[in-house]
Amino acid sequence: MVLSASQVKAWERDGFLVVPNAIKPAHCDRLMARAQGIVEDFDPSTVSVFSTHEQTRASDAYFLASGDAISCFFEEDAFAPDGTLRQDKSLSINKIGHALHDLDPTFDEFSRQPVIAEAAASIGIADPKLLQSMYIFKSPRIGGEVTCHQDSTFLFTDPMTVVGFWIALQDATVENGCLWAQPGGHRTPLRKRFVLDPVGGTRFEILDDTPWPEPGATDLIPLEVRKGTMVLLHGLLPHWSDVNRSERSRHSYTVHVIDGTAEYPPENWLQRKADLPFRGFARLATLGS
Ligand code: FE2
């Protein structure tokens, strides 16, 4: 097993685990180059969500279609009032999601590295299924805050099994918007679920009013990590990341894994077409050095 007994113990105690040097720097570089290629090929005019009063409905549709697609999402502040980009397209994207791991060969190979598969097995995921993938840019000055949340809100299973495998493709610091996590916070209840609304679009279903840990308070700690570090995040763990106030980007990649033995509800926002079912780690990649 790739994780030691003490690492598994720390994971169970804290609800997260930092694994330095898990991914080779060259593999990080390859993924970053591929993401750059996807952005270069992306035509922003295909996303009409910022120019009409039907913004919410259109963005809902684009978002909901991204579960089995490779879709680019802009930062909230990317556009000037006249609809033009404030800065270069490559510095305006918030993230790419959510089926990179199944549709793009470079991401497929990266997501199915033995180190990720073995880490999933180490923490007891019996029948791992790769559910969604996100490439996060967190660009200098424009990279926005991700408010405190639990991943099970968005990726619910019964019982709850989702685990995030977050990989730093660049050094992450407080200045450029690293992750912050609440040690032991995975023992707090799920606050809400993000579900499909029967009348269209999505909505939050409130489950519990337990307060979130406050940014700046001692119960939320920064996870400053080097490039190539893998951070495992329990689905109930409250975590947060700040805006990027620095001049350096903070690229990262997350693949979320669920246990196929759990029920995957039809009201989850992320639904796959029948011809693209969730897959496990079966096609393990053999990457070069
Ligand atoms: Fe998250």
Side-chain angles (χ1 to χ4, degrees):
M1 286 295 176
V2 70
L3 300 182
S4 67
S6 65
Q7 284 177 307
V8 173
K9 206 170 162 185
W11 158 256
E12 290 169 351
R13 181 192 63 219
D14 297 333
F16 67 89
L17 181 69
V18 177
V19 186
N21 303 313
I23 308 292
K24 291 176 181 171
H27 296 167
C28 296
D29 294 342
R30 192 180 309 174
L31 204 72
M32 290 175 64
R34 180 64 197 123
Q36 193 62 37
I38 291 172
V39 170
E40 280 166 18
D41 292 344
F42 169 60
D43 177 2
S45 69
T46 61
V47 186
S48 60
V49 297
F50 302 97
S51 56
T52 77
H53 62 281
E54 295 191 327
Q55 175 172 331
T56 304
R57 197 165 67 187
S59 59
D60 267 352
Y62 186 72
F63 175 77
L64 290 176
S66 70
D68 44 20
I70 295 176
S71 306
C72 294
F73 296 87
F74 286 105
E75 289 286 353
E76 264 182 41
D77 297 332
F79 291 88
D82 66 357
T84 58
L85 284 172
R86 291 182 197 271
Q87 52 186 24
D88 188 75
K89 181 176 66 172
S90 66
L91 295 172
S92 303
I93 304 290
N94 170 286
K95 68 176 175 183
I96 313 173
H98 288 97
L100 290 154
H101 61 291
D102 280 335
L103 298 176
D104 182 272
T106 302
F107 278 88
D108 179 358
E109 195 174 33
F110 188 95
S111 306
R112 292 181 167 84
Q113 293 180 72
V115 67
I116 302 176
E118 289 169 14
S122 296
I123 58 169
I125 301 179
D127 178 21
K129 300 288 184 198
L130 280 63
L131 180 59
Q132 76 161 26
S133 44
M134 295 191 295
Y135 188 101
I136 312 284
F137 289 82
K138 196 74 107 169
S139 288
R141 300 176 301 281
I142 195 172
E145 176 188 6
V146 178
T147 55
C148 205
H149 67 279
Q150 298 162 302
D151 289 343
S152 287
T153 288
F154 302 95
L155 305 168
F156 185 85
T157 63
D158 186 13
M160 285 182 272
T161 59
V162 71
V163 174
F165 293 79
W166 182 100
I167 291 147
L169 302 173
Q170 298 179 304
D171 295 350
T173 65
V174 167
E175 288 73 29
N176 72 357
C178 68
L179 286 174
W180 294 63
Q182 181 188 18
H186 62 308
R187 287 188 288 274
T188 63
L190 184 64
R191 274 70 162 183
K192 54 186 174 180
R193 280 184 63 191
F194 181 69
V195 294
L196 295 170
D197 193 323
V199 302
T202 54
R203 65 183 170 87
F204 283 102
E205 193 177 280
I206 305 301
L207 304 176
D208 190 279
D209 61 1
T210 300
W212 294 106
E214 285 292 322
T218 51
D219 52 1
L220 208 55
I221 63 167
L223 306 181
E224 293 193 298
V225 298
R226 304 299 298 268
K227 173 178 183 172
T229 300
M230 176 168 69
V231 181
L232 279 58
L233 296 162
H234 189 285
L236 282 172
L237 184 81
H239 56 288
W240 170 78
S241 72
D242 202 355
V243 299
N244 182 354
R245 303 179 200 283
S246 79
E247 298 298 314
R248 292 183 300 110
S249 57
R250 196 227 69 184
H251 289 206
S252 62
Y253 176 66
T254 305
V255 60
H256 281 97
V257 177
I258 55 171
D259 197 323
T261 59
E263 185 207 342
Y264 189 79
E267 64 271 22
N268 276 6
W269 79 268
L270 196 163
Q271 300 293 331
R272 283 287 189 87
K273 296 190 190 88
D275 61 354
L276 193 68
F278 300 132
R279 292 195 294 115
F281 289 105
R283 290 193 301 164
L284 292 180
T286 308
L287 297 178
S289 57

